[in-house]
Amino acid sequence: MGLFGRDKSAPVPGMGKQSISDLTNMAKQMQEQAMAQAAAFQQASAPPPASADGTTAPAAEVGSMTWARRVMAILAPTEPGFVKRCNCAVCGAPKKLPTTNAYVYCDYCASLCDFDLRRACEGDTAPGPEYAAIVNGAHASMQAAVAAGDRDAYRALQKQVFEAFVANVPNAMSHRARNDAAYREAYVNYMAEGATVRAFDPAAQALEAEMKQRVMSLRYGGNMMAPTVEADSFWPMAETLEKQLALFATLYRSTGVVELDPDHAEHLTTKMGWSGFCQGWLAMLPEDAAAQLLQRAGLTNDYVAIEVETGQPRHCGGCGGEFHALPDAKAVVCDGCGRTVDLGSAEIPCGGCGATMTLPRGADHIACPFCQTDVEQVGIR
Ligand SMILES: [Zn+2]
Ligand SMILES: [Zn+2]
Ligand SMILES: [Zn+2]
């Protein structure tokens, strides 16, 4: 996934021991949880992880997750029968089929073509105390590794954190990660390398320090259950983020980090950064400021009518789920199980139960998802 710093719960160096008011603390926990839902970029903006006793405010007040969802519903409404407007960066095809995940894959070539912030805000994917403990436990060692100029040690620690993230917050990841160990491993490497490159770059360090200042200068309002951020104290933070994202894009390219992205989605990295930031902060902004933020981030969703009429029903050999394949489509990512399904051949019937299916990419046989009979691709080998 083309995200910056998915370890959004990682502590901001130097901020771990601040004495802060309960209100601020709660606000930070709220943000922490929201960030964890995000496919996100965290180190720039995330406050230090508070001790893991945070709860999600149920009230639909500004500052609650319910509010975040409501804001998204107001600002980026979707209707049944519509899909986020986007074109595939690889094959150019417009998105036509419905999606159920935040990660939007091309209907024709299975490339990642967009990230749907609204969908990402729908689910609750707060990390548990286990993840927080791992992140907190690595904090001091990470700082020491940076101070010692030890990239390898730092990278190894980041890998631990991202491995914990993958294991503990699977819903915040692309559905491709669900049944693909190689994807998960590549993702961990990609994220850890990105974090390492950022941690050791002087310009990135300076911006991180600037962001820390911005976060410290935030003014909070609302109440314990629904903390809010005053908009005029918020915008400087967005400005710093903008600078960070521009720098990271350059950095990721010059250091080859972009090549590690298992989704090969360099075109989405900045958008992912903004998305994570918005997921973290939207909930704490009043509607007008939230609208402004989405505008500035280029995340105001635009939906187009779904076109399924030319699609042929197919069935994923991995999970048995039905999907539609458009004429000339070569591969799709199954929304149900995240496997990439090759559309080059006709569906194969199962000798056991008669169900027909299309095999996932790279598989020449698979256990039928309904009856476990081995289903073999004919004509291969
Ligand atoms: Zn495509
Ligand atoms: Zn499937
Ligand atoms: Zn079967």
Side-chain angles (χ1 to χ4, degrees):
M1 183 57 286
L3 312 184
F4 288 119
R6 183 70 82 80
D7 58 339
K8 61 209 64 70
S9 295
V12 178
M15 286 187 67
K17 299 278 192 277
Q18 301 290 340
S19 84
I20 37 183
S21 71
D22 285 346
L23 175 63
T24 309
N25 211 1
M26 173 62 95
K28 290 183 173 188
Q29 283 184 11
M30 291 295 304
Q31 195 235 344
E32 185 76 14
Q33 290 182 350
M35 289 297 271
Q37 292 190 329
F41 153 60
Q42 113 284 345
Q43 284 187 323
S45 53
S51 47
D53 59 348
T55 50
T56 303
E61 295 176 70
V62 178
S64 69
M65 279 314 294
T66 312
W67 172 252
R69 280 182 215 115
R70 182 179 289 183
V71 166
M72 286 308 295
I74 295 167
L75 302 177
T78 54
E79 299 159 53
F82 286 77
V83 67
K84 198 167 184 305
R85 181 195 298 275
C86 59
N87 291 311
C88 176
V90 175
C91 76
K95 184 69 187 170
K96 294 178 180 173
L97 298 176
T99 59
T100 56
N101 297 291
Y103 295 81
V104 178
Y105 288 94
C106 176
D107 301 323
Y108 290 88
C109 75
S111 303
L112 184 64
C113 46
D114 210 342
F115 181 78
D116 191 341
L117 176 62
R118 185 183 165 281
R119 283 248 186 260
C121 287
E122 283 173 353
D124 278 314
T125 50
E130 204 178 316
Y131 175 66
I134 289 166
V135 172
N136 286 327
H139 182 204
S141 312
M142 281 186 189
Q143 282 187 304
V146 172
D150 191 343
R151 273 175 185 262
D152 291 344
Y154 187 86
R155 185 185 297 108
L157 289 161
Q158 285 288 350
K159 277 190 186 179
Q160 280 173 24
V161 166
F162 282 111
E163 273 158 12
F165 180 85
V166 167
N168 288 279
V169 203
N171 290 341
M173 297 191 63
S174 161
H175 45 297
R176 278 190 65 197
R178 283 180 207 160
N179 288 290
D180 187 343
Y183 179 92
R184 292 193 294 270
E185 191 187 339
Y187 172 82
V188 166
N189 284 330
Y190 167 55
M191 298 308 280
E193 194 58 39
T196 305
V197 159
R198 298 197 307 270
F200 287 84
D201 180 78
Q205 286 169 346
L207 282 176
E208 167 124 5
E210 182 179 304
M211 179 60 90
K212 223 181 295 172
Q213 282 309 314
R214 308 285 202 203
V215 173
M216 295 300 290
S217 306
L218 287 175
R219 289 192 311 279
Y220 294 92
N223 58 56
M224 286 292 288
M225 291 310 285
T228 57
V229 168
E230 289 177 23
D232 61 336
S233 75
F234 176 81
W235 296 119
M237 199 165 67
E239 248 160 57
T240 301
L241 179 78
E242 207 156 32
K243 288 190 276 184
Q244 287 181 305
L245 293 177
L247 172 68
F248 296 168
T250 310
L251 211 50
Y252 274 32
R253 166 153 287 204
S254 67
T255 57
V257 170
V258 289
E259 314 296 332
L260 302 177
D261 177 2
D263 274 311
H264 310 291
E266 185 185 358
H267 59 289
L268 289 177
T269 46
T270 296
K271 185 174 205 169
M272 293 292 184
W274 275 116
S275 295
F277 182 79
C278 288
Q279 273 183 280
W281 293 102
L282 270 180
M284 295 173 70
L285 295 172
E287 192 183 326
D288 55 342
Q292 236 178 303
L293 174 60
L294 287 178
Q295 196 72 46
R296 180 168 185 169
L299 293 173
T300 47
N301 282 356
D302 183 11
Y303 288 84
V304 295
I306 284 167
E307 294 174 39
V308 287
E309 54 287 344
T310 56
Q312 290 296 314
R314 289 256 193 167
H315 307 86
C316 171
C319 69
E322 184 178 293
F323 61 91
H324 281 81
L326 296 172
D328 302 323
K330 299 198 163 36
V332 294
V333 174
C334 173
D335 269 336
C337 70
R339 291 181 179 86
T340 301
V341 181
D342 264 320
L343 300 173
S345 59
E347 292 229 309
I348 309 161
C350 167
C353 70
T356 62
M357 65 201 69
T358 308
L359 298 195
R361 174 174 289 172
D364 51 17
H365 69 103
I366 197 162
C368 169
F370 304 106
C371 75
Q372 308 306 314
T373 300
D374 192 58
V375 178
E376 212 176 329
Q377 177 74 283
V378 284
I380 291 186
R381 72 157 115 202

